[in-house]
Amino acid sequence: MLLSSNLLAEGQSRYISDNVFLYLLGGPGTEFRILGSIEAGQPVTLLNETQGDYSKIIDHKGREGWVQTNLISSTQSFREQVPALTTELAQAKAKLAGVLSSTDNHADEVTELKAKLSELETNLAKTTQERDELKVAVDRSAQDERFELWRQGGLIAGMGLILGIILVYLPRPQRRSKKRWM
């Protein structure tokens, strides 16, 4: 079982833990000579060999040696993460600045649209008032027209009555009798 996990890990990139400075040893133990040192966070390649608490690696300079297994991490070190995160942060800040600028433009547009809306509401109120006044004027005009028609009809009826009375009392010309020439 121990062997199968080592076979899967062979050739994979690993990293030296961030909080240490360690020596690359010539063998699996402190009794072997020191081949060099590896700074915390440096990438290393884990090889298929482990003995006790030590694993065989190839460091970032291409040197092959042994280090304590508990000092090897599968996650990237802060040394590798910080530049990527700094770049990502700069991009996020640029996007945020763009969004804030866009938001300011939208706020100006909203203010402008509110002013236009207020102006249009005022015009609507004015137009509605004018419509109501014209409706009242049209109703009054229709009533005046009906009154005028009734007045004219009354005058015509009165004149007809007077003319009828006058015609009744007017003397009629007498008819000549047909026997008169004879």
Side-chain angles (χ1 to χ4, degrees), residues 32-73:
F32 293 92
R33 78 181 176 102
I34 298 172
L35 301 175
S37 64
I38 302 174
E39 291 181 26
Q42 290 293 328
V44 295
T45 303
L46 182 63
L47 299 177
N48 192 12
E49 294 182 48
T50 59
Q51 288 185 9
D53 293 340
Y54 290 87
S55 295
K56 194 170 190 181
I57 62 158
I58 299 176
D59 72 356
H60 64 286
K61 295 180 182 178
R63 299 178 294 190
E64 192 173 301
W66 294 81
V67 293
Q68 288 182 340
T69 304
N70 64 347
L71 298 178
I72 299 173
S73 172

Side-chain angles (χ1 to χ4, degrees), residues 88 103 113 164:
E88 194 175 319
T103 302
L113 289 174

Side-chain angles (χ1 to χ4, degrees), residues 14-17 41-44 71-77 80:
R14 301 286 187 210
Y15 302 90
I16 297 299
S17 297
Q42 290 293 328
V44 295
L71 298 178
I72 299 173
S73 172
S74 62
T75 59
Q76 274 189 336
S77 67
E80 304 263 336

Side-chain angles (χ1 to χ4, degrees), residues 9-169:
E10 183 177 349
Q12 293 180 0
S13 291
R14 301 286 187 210
Y15 302 90
I16 297 299
S17 297
D18 286 325
N19 57 358
V20 296
F21 176 87
L22 59 97
Y23 293 109
L24 182 64
L25 303 172
T30 55
E31 64 273 2
F32 293 92
R33 78 181 176 102
I34 298 172
L35 301 175
S37 64
I38 302 174
E39 291 181 26
Q42 290 293 328
V44 295
T45 303
L46 182 63
L47 299 177
N48 192 12
E49 294 182 48
T50 59
Q51 288 185 9
D53 293 340
Y54 290 87
S55 295
K56 194 170 190 181
I57 62 158
I58 299 176
D59 72 356
H60 64 286
K61 295 180 182 178
R63 299 178 294 190
E64 192 173 301
W66 294 81
V67 293
Q68 288 182 340
T69 304
N70 64 347
L71 298 178
I72 299 173
S73 172
S74 62
T75 59
Q76 274 189 336
S77 67
F78 290 129
R79 175 181 282 180
E80 304 263 336
Q81 290 177 2
V82 168
L85 291 175
T86 303
T87 304
E88 194 175 319
L89 178 63
Q91 291 172 349
K93 283 183 179 180
K95 283 182 182 178
L96 179 61
V99 167
L100 289 176
S101 171
S102 175
T103 302
D104 290 342
N105 290 342
H106 291 309
D108 292 342
E109 288 177 16
V110 166
T111 304
E112 186 178 314
L113 289 174
K114 283 184 180 178
K116 285 182 180 179
L117 178 63
S118 176
E119 180 182 331
L120 290 173
E121 285 175 342
T122 304
N123 286 343
L124 177 63
K126 228 187 273 183
T127 304
T128 303
Q129 183 180 3
E130 288 176 8
R131 182 203 63 197
D132 292 343
E133 289 172 0
L134 289 173
K135 189 175 180 183
V136 167
V138 165
D139 289 344
R140 191 174 300 137
S141 173
Q143 286 176 349
D144 289 347
E145 187 178 320
R146 275 186 246 131
F147 176 75
E148 183 64 27
L149 287 175
W150 278 100
R151 189 177 65 85
Q152 288 176 1
L155 284 175
I156 291 172
M159 289 170 70
L161 183 65
I162 292 173
L163 187 62
I165 291 174
I166 292 175
L167 285 176
V168 169
Y169 289 105

